[in-house]
Amino acid sequence: MTRSVNWLRGLRSVFVIGSAAAAALLSGCASTAGRYPAAPAAASTDGYSYIVGPGDSLNIIAWRNPELSMTVPVRPDGKISTPLIDELVAQGKNSTEIARDIEKQLSKYVRDPVITVIVTSFVGPYSEQIRVVGEASKPQALPYKQKMTVLDVMIAVGGLTDFAAGNDASIVRSAEGNKQYSVRLKDLVKRGDVSANVEMRPGDILIIPQSLF
């Protein structure tokens, strides 16, 4: 009889210890969602001007000089080449700045050149791309667009994988010295909670960790 009582007491101790450990594990997992402050719903980008990067295509229109009008790619080194201009740095400039630079170069050969530059294919500089890493269906880098939200990003990358800890996701914001914010991707994507949608900023990195179970 004594042996049976001792066995039952030992079994109860194991159960209590196991339950406490499980509770601690669940508590630890739940707490990861609050490691960082919640991302602000709005991310101010007033006055934002698209910056050209390698891989973009530029349509150059030369008024009264159609032979100088053409579409050129921005090379991996960030430069373009056109007739009468061997190399011109385009990376890191907006379309208006590039047009003025071309006019300056052409003024050596053409009287009062008037140039318009239109960006026709958008990639953008690496420093302004939105990068998605971790448990997205298609992790990738995306060109930033004005008023882009985390929902736009998730649509572009095909949503979350089955193993994603969506509510433990975070945004690393390079524009604020790599400050990190929490985002509730599971609530947004799986449950349709639009209150979890937030705006992105150029250069943001969206990190989606894997669920532990």
Side-chain angles (χ1 to χ4, degrees), residues 26-213:
L26 290 172
S27 175
C29 293
S31 67
T32 59
R35 286 182 300 175
Y36 311 110
S44 177
T45 52
D46 294 338
Y48 173 76
S49 179
Y50 180 78
I51 302 300
V52 169
D56 286 351
S57 291
L58 307 180
N59 185 14
I60 300 172
I61 303 170
W63 187 53
R64 296 177 304 189
N65 294 277
E67 69 279 4
L68 298 177
S69 299
M70 66 195 65
T71 298
V72 298
V74 181
R75 304 193 314 244
D77 62 1
K79 299 177 181 179
I80 59 173
S81 297
T82 70
L84 304 180
I85 301 176
D86 290 333
E87 290 190 334
L88 181 73
V89 175
Q91 178 176 345
K93 302 174 182 177
N94 61 37
S95 58
T96 301
E97 292 169 333
I98 295 171
R100 301 293 83 80
D101 288 345
I102 293 175
E103 288 174 352
K104 183 177 179 180
Q105 293 291 326
L106 289 180
S107 64
K108 302 173 184 177
Y109 314 101
V110 179
R111 183 177 179 180
D112 299 326
V114 178
I115 301 294
T116 299
V117 173
I118 301 172
V119 184
T120 57
S121 178
F122 300 89
V123 176
Y126 295 120
S127 62
E128 297 206 348
Q129 292 176 5
I130 304 297
R131 291 178 172 80
V132 185
V133 296
E135 295 300 316
S137 294
K138 296 180 290 184
Q140 59 185 290
L142 303 167
Y144 173 78
K145 299 176 183 177
Q146 178 78 310
K147 298 298 181 181
M148 189 180 211
T149 68
V150 71
L151 180 58
D152 298 322
V153 173
M154 293 312 300
I155 292 172
V157 300
L160 300 169
T161 70
D162 293 337
F163 307 102
N167 283 351
D168 288 337
S170 62
I171 292 173
V172 178
R173 184 147 288 165
S174 61
E176 298 178 11
N178 292 330
K179 186 174 181 179
Q180 203 154 353
Y181 293 102
S182 291
V183 283
R184 297 182 289 116
L185 295 183
K186 182 177 180 180
D187 290 348
L188 175 65
V189 177
K190 301 291 186 180
R191 299 168 182 163
D193 183 356
V194 294
S195 69
N197 196 23
V198 300
E199 290 183 1
M200 306 294 288
R201 291 192 65 178
D204 278 357
I205 301 173
L206 179 60
I207 302 173
I208 309 172
Q210 187 178 55
S211 176
L212 295 179
F213 47 89

